[in-house]
Amino acid sequence: MTCVHLLLTLVFAVSLGTPVEIQGPRGVPLTSIQFYVENKPFTCLDGSRTIPFDRVNDDYCDCKDGSDEPGTAACPNGSFHCTNAGYRTMFIPSSRINDGICDCCDTTDEYNSGAKCENTCKELGRKEREVLQKMTEITKEGFLLKQHLIEEAKKGHQEKQIKVTDMQENKKQLDEKVEVLRTVKETAEQPEKEAKERHLKAWEEQKAAIRLEKDKAKMAEAFLELDDNADGFVSVSELQSHAELDADADGTLTETEAQGLMGGAEQVDMSTFESVWPNIKDKYHSEVSREEEPAPVETPPDEVKEPVVDNDSEPYPEDDISEEEDEDDEDEDDYHEDDDKVYHTENLSKNIEKELSFDFGPDAEFTYLYSQCYELTTGEYIYRLCPFNRVSQKPKYGGSETNLGTWGSWSGPENNKYLLMKYEHGTGCWQGPNRSTTVKLTCGKETVVTSTSEPSRCEYLMEFTTPAVCQEPANTDLSPHDHVEL
Amino acid sequence: SSHNSLEMGLLSVVCVSLFFSSTFAVDRGNFKTCDQSAFCKRQRALKPGQSPYRALLETLELSDSRLTLQLINDNNKVHLLLELYRLQGNMTRVKINELKPLKPRFEVPDVLIAEPPTEPLSVLSKDDNGVVLSLGVKNQRLIVSARPFRLDIMQGPEVLLSLNSRGLLAFEHLRLHKDTQAQPDGAEVKESVDGDQQQDEGEKGEDGESDKEEVGLWEETFKSHTDTKPNGPTSISLDFSLPGVEHVYGIPEHADDLKLKTTDGGDPYRLYNLDVFQYELYNPMALYGSIPVMLAHNTQRTMGIFWLNAAETWVDISSNTTGKTVFGKMLDFVQGSSENPQTDVRWISESGIIDVFIMLGPKPSDVFSQYASLTGTQSFPPLASLGYHQCRWNYNDQEDVKSVDQGFDQHDIPYDFIWLDIEHADGKRYFTWDPHKFPQPKEMLQGLMDKKRKMVAIVDPHIRVDSGYKIHNEITSKDFYVKNKDGRNYEGWCWPGNSGYPDFTKPEMRAWWASMFAYDQYEGSMENLFTWNDMNEPSVFNGPEVTMHKDALHGKWEHRDIHNIYGLYVQMATAEGQTRRSGGVERPFVLTRAFFAGSQRYGAVWTGDNAAEWDHLKISIPMCLSLGLVGVSFCGADVGGFFKNPSTELLVRWYQTGAYQPFFRAHAHLDTTRREPWLFGPENTALIREVIRQRYALLPYWYQLLYQAHKTGMPVMRPLWVDYPKDTATFTIDDEFLIGRDLLVHPVTEEGSRGVTAYLPGAGEVWYDVHTFQKHNGAQNLYIPVTLSSIPVFQRGGSIIPRKDRVRRSSTCMENDPYTLYVALSPKKFAEGELYIDDGHSFNYDTKKEFIHRSLTFANNALTSNNLCPNCNFLTSSWIEKVLILGASKPSKVLLKMDGKETPVDFEFDTSMSVLTLRKPGMNAGADWTLLLQ
């Protein structure tokens, strides 16, 4: 007969250094032990009925809630508590008691099955602590990095806001001018030569004024671009980032050279910049146009996990086709020039507005991922994740790229939607769905794609670590869990 | 799974165009109709009542067990030899072959388990018109009529069955091709269609050319494929009349109703093993397997016809009551003008001989045992294979397998087998593992073994032609490949690209194949790795009708002759390999898609590549019922549907249905989204968990039924009429079924269903709802309101079902768990059942009689366990933890009598449901005991 009679177990708690003997029915956690009083009738924990105490753990299910058989597999819904001294305590479904498989590291679930289980709690505990420690470190550092990211994002955001506002203002002015110019042009195009000549002078004046305005607008834009830290001043070092201004053409703009350009000042504000502008405006390249060339990758190219600038997918304003037109009329020329400017400004501000429209997280901590790409090379493919843009896959040894989805939405669980990114509507599969990718974000010091898989056909799963999801580390106690409740 | 072959990058454009279909449905154009199959068209054009065959009574020879007689075709003077045997167990065998064929005609080997034992025939009377023979039992006689030739089997004054009663016997004798003949013999050719000629001429009159008559005789083209037919026309045909019969069943595999339909005006049912991409429902098209066995049933008698022929076969069914309404029939009856209802059946095969077994019943169970005595019974599978199987094309890699395995534990859902489809192998080279995805197969298998779980990996019969592949090289060097008509190795396209097809009809080839499953040959295999044979019709992507050319050669026989048995041989050799790897100790488990008569001996069958549609869920019932009737009990359909994505409701309903069918496996196409049971929200996970647990709790009953099927041939999953043969209301039911005799299941197979109407059979009987224990009377249509959690299942009053209600991670984990006996009392307060226990996996039950088999009887207020096998020897640590007696009254006392002692047993009584629960009687499951209610 295999009927198991009430088995009382001895459990040693070692946290105080002295063994404390606690008796209780097998499988009952310390927190519930008061409900199991030897030789007193036991009331099922759901209160459904009361049974003699000898029916507790007698390998027959009397309570609907399974509470009379915490130490046997008799109840279909019971749970067994393993103490797992040295590791984590846990509950297992009571169906795993004596099923021949070792579930509790302290072996207590297999007391009558003949399974040869070894107590692995200490080892598991040690490993878990190691992992926890590592995780804690990562979380800590990651969280610090996240703070930086948040700071940077904040700054960038303000800057861009200003930029957008300025540009909108700029654009407004330009629009007005274009309007004027157009009137002028239309008028100028009237066949009456007289009228044309009458207007010519006024036009010349206008043109000069407009050129001045345009120059001012350019200057203002340059100032904003140069003012990297958006403190309202352009400093020597900020100017130095524009190597094209180098006077002696040795490839570098030294501090002295820069200071020279700035009329000897350490930094200049907007109004003072007016006097600096003539010195640099001929050589100055807007950062916008500079971005059109691929930025140099900062890390060696074989480091595939490092970010790469997203240079092939972000739409940048195309130069206006009017440039190709044969222009023999100065008015036309001016008119087009201004029109281009409007177009250009519009695009710029659209891009920035688009960027500002993304949900970069509660503290904008994901901003830094924008316009970046991260790659992972596997046996066959190079996978490329460009956050907020798209995911793609390219055969390692030649072949065309496949779109695995473009940015859809955050799709994590309700309590934290920022744990999953969904990219949708990729290249269609033959007789199947369009490819899509779920990106799972985990806390890490580095921003890296760690793995990719295809759980269902054309539904990809990418694992991605970033400091941006690191949570503030709790003050975790890393001491062994051997004093935890039984 | 056969897979949507279009996905194969390796496939040629030819192949792609062959398979392309833009909508979800079979491309019918890929498969022949009877009209497109020359012999079928030729044969079907024959008109009844013009039989040219005459029995030459003077040639009659009678030995103890065999009667022979010559037949002559008066049109062409070709002589046939008729052989008649009276077989033990109320069967008659009729063989017809050419008396002197030009060369031997194919007779199907390896299907009969032995030469069927005969019983003496005796001549009762004989005159110029015929001979009357005694069939021994019950006044049964066999009458041979001479002119035209005809056979009638009579019992008393009643004709049970007649052969050639419509004169459709047609035997195309072997002949020389006129081109190769010295003297063209037009007459010979003209008569070659055996009586069909006038008809043919009539049809082709407009063409006005006599050589048109030859179309399809010596060559036949279907789509781009030409069948060279070096032997010319070789088809055979015979008709059977079944007076008094309105219901015929069987001849799987077709995606159609349980009761076979008449085929007038449409195509006959076709038996030709084919890989049908996205098959359609409710039509007689051929599918993956063929079992040429038909059952005929009426309230008086059940009979069977087993047409032992492995060539392409068509079966026509007609009935004189078709189209008559119930009212019309009644009117006939009242007016006395009713002709006796009759079903006429006609079998047509492309080659071979006529070899028919007539199983005379009379009870359904008699027919099952008669057929089992010929072809064997269902193999007794390992217990674990009755658990739940989790399959998908494909579990991608070891990590994937591990995480799915863990998913089951996390969600506390039991399962026994996880499956790997074709992507697991290295470049579709079966017996190998993809080195990147499955670098450590043993580690993976050990991980599963540690949890007492198992794995199945696919091994298909097409072999990649690749000089770097050991299997291919060995088959080549041993010259084991099927040959094409020119004698070179036959090659065709399948998953690996260009593939060879081993000639499984060769015993030496099968022995070699079996040896490849040895642990030291099949690298990475372990004892918990089992096998799945797919694509064994065989599937040839660029072949005619997606299969092998009929003029390919298996030794001296054409593929035409053996086609339908190829798949059986594949599974046979595989099962043999699995048995051999353990030295004959462990039972194999092999799943097959293609099958033939006798396949039941080698493992399980599934219904192939179905789809995630409600109708496909519904059809799974008649498809498995039809297979069960002809021996294949271990049947299932892909839970969830193979193609397409099921709605959550459909998936849940499919689990609820599949859990109550013998082979319970979820499977999904590569293109579908993941559908492991926990991916549809906690409520649906709970619903699926619940039904899988119900399956596991009933494993003792399933196991006992498989044992019974193995011993007796009784189907596990049965139509109601098998157990209620006189209740005509049951004859067409195929939306509900019985598991064994004692459980009735009416799965919910309608979308958005709020209720089902189940027919509970048995006047004067009662049925108990297994979930609520509510009692219902038999012989009624019962409306059952349902929710998404409802699975209408009833236990027959009068039965005892043992369950293991402690559901664990896998069936193996439940080995030593105690039993609960569910005793459902009949109105006469009686119940009986059985309990079968063995080790669950070895042949020791057979070789060493290591099992426990007990009868459980409740009568006179006492429940008794008696030993049904006193000389058996097996010890179990399982015990009886609980006994539930449904429909009981409250006793004052309950005593356990065992070992001469009487001990009181605690009990509870639920007055509202009349359920008596005996608490922990505690006796060992193998012991003798009695529980007395006082």
Side-chain angles (χ1 to χ4, degrees):
Chain A
M1 199 80 6
T2 58
C3 307
V4 178
H5 294 287
L6 179 69
L7 286 158
L8 296 176
T9 54
L10 296 182
V11 175
F12 298 92
V14 293
S15 63
L16 300 174
T18 38
V20 177
E21 198 176 80
I22 297 166
Q23 290 191 327
R26 193 194 293 276
V28 179
L30 193 55
T31 47
S32 307
I33 214 154
Q34 73 267 27
F35 303 115
Y36 298 82
V37 183
E38 205 175 345
N39 300 324
K40 281 197 178 164
F42 171 75
T43 301
C44 306
L45 296 187
D46 63 0
S48 57
R49 65 189 292 194
T50 299
I51 54 172
F53 192 75
D54 63 6
R55 292 192 172 182
V56 171
N57 274 347
D58 72 337
D59 208 15
Y60 184 90
C61 192
D62 292 286
C63 295
K64 278 200 176 115
D65 66 352
S67 57
D68 63 315
E69 297 294 318
T72 79
C75 292
N77 50 351
S79 61
F80 175 85
H81 183 264
C82 9
T83 307
N84 290 347
Y87 185 54
R88 259 182 297 150
T89 62
M90 63 183 194
F91 286 95
I92 59 167
S94 61
S95 63
R96 293 179 195 172
I97 297 169
N98 290 329
D99 67 349
I101 300 164
C102 312
D103 290 286
C104 299
C105 63
D106 65 4
T107 76
T108 51
D109 61 316
E110 295 300 315
Y111 58 84
N112 196 25
S113 70
K116 288 183 188 119
C117 301
E118 276 175 42
N119 190 321
T120 55
C121 291
K122 276 198 179 135
E123 181 61 16
L124 284 172
R126 192 182 59 74
K127 274 188 191 154
E128 189 189 46
R129 280 190 297 279
E130 276 174 21
V131 169
L132 266 177
Q133 205 149 1
K134 225 180 228 168
M135 276 305 299
T136 311
E137 274 164 32
I138 289 172
T139 311
K140 221 186 232 169
E141 286 180 50
F143 188 70
L144 275 179
L145 286 169
K146 181 181 174 182
Q147 300 314 306
H148 284 291
L149 293 176
I150 292 171
E151 276 305 302
E152 274 174 40
K154 240 183 228 162
K155 267 189 236 158
H157 187 75
Q158 285 165 356
E159 220 170 277
K160 277 162 196 154
Q161 284 286 15
I162 293 166
K163 221 186 221 176
V164 168
T165 319
D166 278 7
M167 278 193 231
Q168 278 164 348
E169 185 54 34
N170 240 334
K171 181 176 170 276
K172 206 173 135 197
Q173 291 171 7
L174 280 168
D175 278 347
E176 284 163 10
K177 275 164 211 155
V178 166
E179 190 52 36
V180 173
L181 275 176
R182 200 174 45 167
T183 319
V184 169
K185 184 173 161 238
E186 278 164 12
T187 319
E189 279 168 0
Q190 282 171 7
E192 290 85 8
K193 214 177 176 182
E194 259 187 24
K196 196 178 174 185
E197 274 169 7
R198 191 161 3 107
H199 283 288
L200 192 60
K201 201 175 168 224
W203 170 228
E204 286 296 342
E205 283 164 14
Q206 278 284 2
K207 227 163 57 174
I210 287 160
R211 283 206 182 103
L212 190 65
E213 274 307 311
K214 260 165 53 184
D215 190 51
K216 269 191 182 166
K218 245 182 205 165
M219 179 191 75
E221 200 185 313
F223 182 84
L224 280 174
E225 277 178 352
L226 284 166
D227 184 9
D228 288 333
N229 58 4
D231 60 358
F233 293 94
V234 170
S235 65
V236 168
S237 60
E238 281 167 342
L239 196 63
Q240 273 182 279
S241 66
H242 281 252
E244 78 274 13
L245 303 175
D246 175 27
D248 57 10
D250 64 357
T252 52
L253 181 61
T254 63
E255 201 177 321
T256 331
E257 284 169 336
Q259 211 160 345
L261 290 173
M262 285 174 59
E266 243 348 288
Q267 56 177 39
V268 291
D269 64 12
M270 187 65 150
S271 58
T272 332
F273 188 68
E274 273 186 45
S275 59
V276 179
W277 179 238
N279 302 335
I280 63 172
K281 67 176 178 186
D282 292 332
K283 285 182 178 169
Y284 181 78
H285 289 320
S286 163
E287 283 170 18
V288 173
S289 53
R290 196 166 54 161
E291 277 178 38
E292 282 171 345
E293 297 151 31
V297 179
E298 286 170 26
T299 45
D302 50 340
E303 281 277 355
V304 288
K305 286 184 179 177
E306 289 302 314
V308 243
V309 169
D310 183 5
N311 58 11
D312 56 1
S313 42
E314 184 67 15
Y316 278 101
E318 287 169 34
D319 283 330
D320 199 278
I321 42 150
S322 63
E323 276 180 14
E324 292 161 24
E325 285 171 15
D326 187 24
E327 293 162 26
D328 50 7
D329 188 318
E330 217 179 278
D331 299 351
E332 282 278 303
D333 200 21
D334 277 343
Y335 169 70
H336 278 293
E337 205 175 294
D338 279 319
D339 211 27
D340 288 355
K341 185 73 194 171
V342 173
Y343 181 80
H344 187 68
T345 314
E346 245 168 36
N347 265 306
L348 256 178
S349 78
K350 260 188 206 152
N351 283 334
I352 295 170
E353 275 171 51
K354 183 183 165 200
E355 185 181 340
L356 290 173
S357 74
F358 281 106
D359 177 358
F360 287 133
D363 298 310
E365 62 268 42
F366 297 103
T367 311
Y368 82 106
L369 298 173
Y370 188 72
S371 294
Q372 299 294 316
C373 291
Y374 303 87
E375 289 186 349
L376 176 71
T377 303
T378 65
E380 272 179 277
Y381 296 104
I382 299 167
Y383 291 88
R384 187 176 164 95
L385 165 66
C386 304
F388 305 103
N389 185 6
R390 67 202 288 264
V391 182
S392 58
Q393 175 200 54
K394 203 175 169 171
K396 208 161 148 187
Y397 306 108
S400 58
E401 190 182 81
T402 307
N403 181 357
L404 303 186
T406 50
W407 168 249
S409 59
W410 292 104
S411 59
E414 260 173 51
N415 58 357
N416 188 359
K417 66 172 178 170
Y418 299 102
L419 291 177
L420 292 178
M421 288 173 155
K422 187 87 191 163
Y423 293 81
E424 299 156 323
H425 311 299
T427 314
C429 274
W430 192 88
Q431 269 205 348
N434 284 346
R435 287 172 176 80
S436 64
T437 302
T438 302
V439 179
K440 204 173 139 190
L441 285 73
T442 49
C443 167
K445 286 189 280 187
E446 282 163 27
T447 306
V448 179
V449 176
T450 55
S451 77
T452 60
S453 58
E454 189 182 356
S456 296
R457 193 94 198 276
C458 304
E459 289 180 14
Y460 295 81
L461 179 68
M462 201 168 245
E463 308 232 13
F464 185 55
T465 64
T466 162
V469 292
C470 294
Q471 299 292 323
E472 183 158 23
N475 262 336
T476 43
D477 182 1
L478 290 177
S479 62
H481 287 239
D482 49 8
H483 62 281
V484 173
E485 91 295 358
L486 296 161
Chain B
S1 60
S2 119
H3 318 301
N4 163 349
S5 37
L6 285 171
E7 283 293 324
M8 287 292 303
L10 285 166
L11 290 187
S12 64
V13 176
V14 175
C15 193
V16 169
S17 66
L18 184 70
F19 272 72
F20 186 78
S21 90
S22 54
T23 54
F24 185 86
V26 66
D27 184 351
R28 283 172 180 256
N30 284 335
F31 303 102
K32 289 183 184 176
T33 60
C34 176
D35 254 8
Q36 291 167 319
S37 182
F39 78 91
C40 185
K41 184 179 182 183
R42 222 158 49 226
Q43 288 277 8
R44 223 185 180 199
L46 278 181
K47 287 278 186 284
Q50 300 171 357
S51 181
Y53 289 98
R54 184 158 52 86
L56 303 173
L57 296 179
E58 63 278 13
T59 63
L60 187 147
E61 284 178 37
L62 182 64
S63 70
D64 241 13
S65 58
R66 171 173 179 246
L67 177 148
T68 59
L69 186 62
Q70 289 180 25
L71 309 178
I72 184 166
N73 179 341
D74 279 330
N75 288 345
N76 60 13
K77 307 300 175 206
V78 171
H79 286 241
L80 303 179
L81 181 69
L82 168 75
E83 295 173 78
L84 288 174
Y85 301 85
R86 182 183 152 210
L87 302 182
Q88 284 180 15
N90 204 16
M91 288 181 283
T92 300
R93 181 180 192 177
V94 180
K95 273 175 95 167
I96 302 174
N97 196 353
E98 290 179 53
L99 181 65
K100 288 176 183 161
L102 275 179
K103 55 181 184 178
R105 296 180 65 120
F106 185 68
E107 298 187 34
V108 186
D110 301 310
V111 168
L112 301 178
I113 48 173
E115 198 53 40
T118 56
E119 287 187 292
L121 273 168
S122 55
V123 175
L124 292 176
S125 65
K126 185 180 168 188
D127 63 18
D128 288 351
N129 297 321
V131 186
V132 179
L133 301 158
S134 167
L135 288 175
V137 286
K138 285 187 190 163
N139 202 17
Q140 270 180 8
R141 285 159 297 140
L142 176 63
I143 297 165
V144 183
S145 305
R147 187 188 294 261
F149 163 70
R150 163 182 176 136
L151 290 175
D152 292 278
I153 296 174
M154 315 254 322
Q155 178 160 326
E158 221 185 318
V159 178
L160 302 181
L161 179 141
S162 311
L163 282 73
N164 201 32
S165 49
R166 286 188 297 154
L168 295 171
L169 167 63
F171 205 109
E172 292 179 337
H173 62 281
L174 293 171
R175 67 205 71 188
L176 297 172
H177 196 320
K178 67 172 178 182
D179 292 346
T180 61
Q181 269 181 306
Q183 296 173 315
D185 186 352
E188 175 71 30
V189 173
K190 265 185 104 58
E191 287 173 26
S192 65
V193 265
D194 298 343
D196 180 26
Q197 214 44 53
Q198 289 77 12
Q199 164 70 20
D200 225 13
E201 275 177 354
E203 264 186 10
K204 305 219 165 131
E206 286 172 16
D207 299 333
E209 282 184 65
S210 62
D211 62 350
K212 283 262 174 171
E213 290 153 14
E214 270 216 82
V215 164
L217 289 182
W218 294 92
E219 186 177 283
E220 178 173 355
T221 299
F222 177 67
K223 301 190 92 174
S224 60
H225 300 282
T226 298
D227 175 5
T228 58
K229 300 178 116 171
N231 295 319
T234 57
S235 73
I236 54 166
S237 163
L238 182 59
D239 68 278
F240 301 80
S241 292
L242 296 153
V245 169
E246 288 182 87
H247 294 86
V248 286
Y249 308 94
I251 54 168
E253 180 175 23
H254 300 98
D256 208 347
D257 296 330
L258 174 67
K259 177 190 184 298
L260 297 172
K261 294 165 183 157
T262 58
T263 56
D264 306 322
D267 256 9
Y269 283 97
R270 189 182 188 202
L271 294 173
Y272 192 56
N273 296 358
L274 292 175
D275 178 2
V276 181
F277 179 63
Q278 296 182 340
Y279 61 79
E280 258 178 49
L281 308 185
Y282 304 110
N283 73 52
M285 286 174 72
L287 284 178
Y288 314 96
S290 301
I291 300 183
V293 178
M294 182 184 284
L295 268 53
H297 177 73
N298 61 25
T299 53
Q300 302 306 308
R301 178 178 287 272
T302 309
M303 293 184 292
I305 298 168
F306 170 28
W307 176 266
L308 179 49
N309 188 299
E312 179 183 348
T313 296
W314 300 78
V315 185
D316 255 324
I317 297 167
S318 59
S319 158
N320 62 356
T321 55
T322 309
K324 279 194 185 168
T325 59
V326 175
F327 179 75
K329 284 185 203 172
M330 222 156 71
L331 203 67
D332 283 349
F333 181 78
V334 171
Q335 295 172 343
S337 67
S338 167
E339 50 176 333
N340 193 19
Q342 176 170 314
T343 296
D344 295 307
V345 181
R346 184 186 184 199
W347 298 72
I348 305 166
S349 290
E350 188 176 12
S351 67
I353 64 160
I354 292 173
D355 191 359
V356 194
F357 297 81
I358 295 151
M359 301 171 283
L360 291 168
K363 295 199 301 290
S365 58
D366 295 328
V367 176
F368 301 133
S369 67
Q370 284 155 5
Y371 181 62
S373 74
L374 298 173
T375 66
T377 59
Q378 176 64 54
S379 65
F380 188 32
L383 172 58
S385 65
L386 291 169
Y388 172 61
H389 299 259
Q390 182 67 39
C391 187
R392 174 177 180 81
W393 177 24
N394 213 97
Y395 285 119
N396 296 331
D397 49 31
Q398 282 180 227
E399 201 48 49
D400 200 358
V401 168
K402 200 171 173 179
S403 77
V404 171
D405 178 69
Q406 284 169 348
F408 278 93
D409 286 340
Q410 274 158 21
H411 298 90
D412 201 16
I413 299 171
Y415 90 96
D416 272 82
F417 282 81
I418 186 165
W419 291 53
L420 296 181
D421 209 324
I422 50 172
E423 313 297 332
H424 86 277
D426 181 12
K428 319 288 193 301
R429 295 173 189 89
Y430 307 109
F431 299 100
T432 72
W433 304 83
D434 184 299
H436 302 292
K437 298 168 185 165
F438 296 92
Q440 303 290 340
K442 283 196 176 180
E443 195 181 294
M444 171 176 64
L445 288 165
Q446 186 60 52
L448 292 169
M449 198 182 283
D450 290 345
K451 291 211 192 145
K452 304 197 178 187
R453 287 172 178 153
K454 299 164 181 32
M455 174 171 266
V456 168
I458 199 164
V459 174
D460 286 351
H462 51 260
I463 300 299
R464 181 168 170 154
V465 174
D466 169 4
S467 59
Y469 179 26
K470 181 185 89 171
I471 299 286
H472 166 71
N473 290 341
E474 288 205 31
I475 295 172
T476 308
S477 71
K478 292 178 193 298
D479 200 20
F480 281 158
Y481 276 126
V482 174
K483 300 287 185 284
N484 64 23
K485 62 178 169 31
D486 305 321
R488 291 190 308 272
N489 284 348
Y490 179 90
E491 287 179 3
W493 283 88
C494 209
W495 296 127
N498 199 27
S499 304
Y501 291 77
D503 189 354
F504 282 90
T505 66
K506 278 197 174 105
E508 320 83 79
M509 154 60 209
R510 295 199 299 273
W512 173 83
W513 179 266
S515 73
M516 288 298 101
F517 289 87
Y519 295 120
D520 59 350
Q521 292 292 326
Y522 189 168
E523 280 175 39
S525 69
M526 284 174 53
E527 59 266 37
N528 63 338
L529 179 69
F530 296 82
T531 313
W532 169 18
N533 293 147
D534 196 358
M535 315 297 279
N536 51 338
E537 294 76 23
S539 177
V540 180
F541 292 161
N542 58 343
E545 301 191 85
V546 205
T547 192
M548 192 171 277
H549 292 71
K550 282 177 172 170
D551 51 12
L553 294 169
H554 302 256
K556 64 175 176 172
W557 301 113
E558 283 191 284
H559 185 69
R560 184 185 333 277
D561 301 312
I562 68 95
H563 176 84
N564 281 347
I565 199 179
Y566 185 84
L568 175 145
Y569 279 130
V570 176
Q571 192 191 21
M572 176 199 256
T574 304
E576 176 62 21
Q578 258 184 36
T579 306
R580 270 210 244 157
R581 70 178 181 178
S582 67
V585 174
E586 298 294 323
R587 286 177 239 164
F589 172 72
V590 181
L591 178 73
T592 183
R593 192 172 69 181
F595 51 82
F596 189 63
S599 284
Q600 70 270 16
R601 305 193 296 259
Y602 307 112
V605 163
W606 95 108
T607 61
D609 299 344
N610 61 2
E613 293 172 358
W614 287 92
D615 277 350
H616 274 267
L617 168 59
K618 287 190 194 101
I619 206 83
S620 72
I621 300 171
M623 286 181 82
C624 279
L625 286 176
S626 295
L627 275 162
L629 289 175
V630 296
V632 179
S633 266
F634 203 6
C635 169
D638 285 347
V639 169
F642 177 65
F643 291 112
K644 307 190 10 177
N645 294 305
S647 67
T648 304
E649 185 192 357
L650 174 58
L651 184 68
V652 168
R653 289 301 189 199
W654 211 316
Y655 270 100
Q656 292 174 342
T657 305
Y660 287 92
Q661 293 177 351
F663 176 58
F664 181 28
R665 182 186 74 150
H667 186 34
H669 188 277
L670 185 66
D671 284 342
T672 61
T673 49
R674 286 283 176 140
R675 54 167 98 139
E676 285 70 46
W678 50 87
L679 295 176
F680 302 89
E683 291 97 5
N684 295 302
T685 305
L687 290 171
I688 296 171
R689 177 193 297 121
E690 169 57 24
V691 69
I692 297 180
R693 284 183 169 200
Q694 287 180 22
R695 168 65 171 223
Y696 275 78
L698 278 169
L699 283 179
Y701 183 60
W702 282 106
Y703 194 51
Q704 172 198 316
L705 289 174
L706 262 300
Y707 179 73
Q708 187 190 35
H710 175 60
K711 285 290 167 193
T712 68
M714 278 302 284
V716 170
M717 176 177 167
R718 312 170 181 168
L720 270 61
W721 63 259
V722 167
D723 287 298
Y724 298 87
K726 291 188 188 305
D727 183 353
T728 53
T730 64
F731 290 2
T732 57
I733 291 177
D734 61 6
D735 58 353
E736 68 179 48
F737 54 90
L738 292 165
I739 302 170
R741 190 161 65 121
D742 301 334
L743 279 185
L744 182 141
V745 187
H746 189 110
V748 182
T749 57
E750 295 281 345
E751 185 171 18
S753 180
R754 287 158 176 265
V756 297
T757 301
Y759 179 71
L760 302 181
E765 293 193 28
V766 293
W767 293 86
Y768 297 85
D769 183 313
V770 300
H771 309 295
T772 64
F773 303 138
Q774 196 181 341
K775 190 160 76 175
H776 302 281
N777 287 325
Q780 66 155 328
N781 282 303
L782 179 69
Y783 180 78
I784 308 145
V786 298
T787 64
L788 199 51
S789 67
S790 310
I791 313 161
V793 180
F794 301 87
Q795 183 176 344
R796 187 177 61 85
S799 68
I800 300 175
I801 293 181
R803 287 200 217 167
K804 281 189 175 180
D805 281 338
R806 302 183 179 189
V807 174
R808 299 188 183 254
R809 241 183 295 232
S810 70
S811 68
T812 312
C813 291
M814 294 163 66
E815 186 183 355
N816 299 316
D817 281 340
Y819 291 90
T820 295
L821 304 179
Y822 287 77
V823 181
L825 296 184
S826 71
K828 290 179 178 164
K829 305 291 175 196
F830 174 84
E832 61 185 343
E834 289 178 17
L835 179 60
Y836 176 85
I837 308 172
D838 64 16
D839 66 14
H841 55 85
S842 79
F843 281 111
N844 293 349
Y845 76 93
D846 189 35
T847 55
K848 299 180 183 170
K849 288 206 157 253
E850 289 182 359
F851 65 89
I852 291 166
H853 195 195
R854 308 202 61 89
S855 75
L856 303 167
T857 312
F858 186 97
N860 306 318
N861 277 323
L863 175 62
T864 308
S865 171
N866 283 313
N867 199 347
L868 286 175
C869 185
N871 58 344
C872 282
N873 168 34
F874 186 72
L875 294 178
T876 178
S877 47
S878 294
W879 48 288
I880 311 295
E881 68 169 328
K882 197 195 280 194
V883 178
L884 266 80
I885 304 175
L886 316 181
S889 32
K890 189 176 181 178
S892 56
K893 203 159 121 187
V894 178
L895 289 174
L896 170 64
K897 269 175 71 175
M898 202 167 99
D899 302 328
K901 283 180 284 188
E902 286 192 1
T903 44
V905 174
D906 285 326
F907 63 89
E908 282 172 35
F909 186 72
D910 176 348
T911 322
S912 65
M913 283 293 160
S914 302
V915 177
L916 176 67
T917 304
L918 309 187
R919 186 189 189 281
K920 210 180 169 189
M923 52 283 191
N924 184 282
D928 291 327
W929 49 263
T930 298
L931 282 163
L932 292 167
L933 313 188
Q934 294 179 331

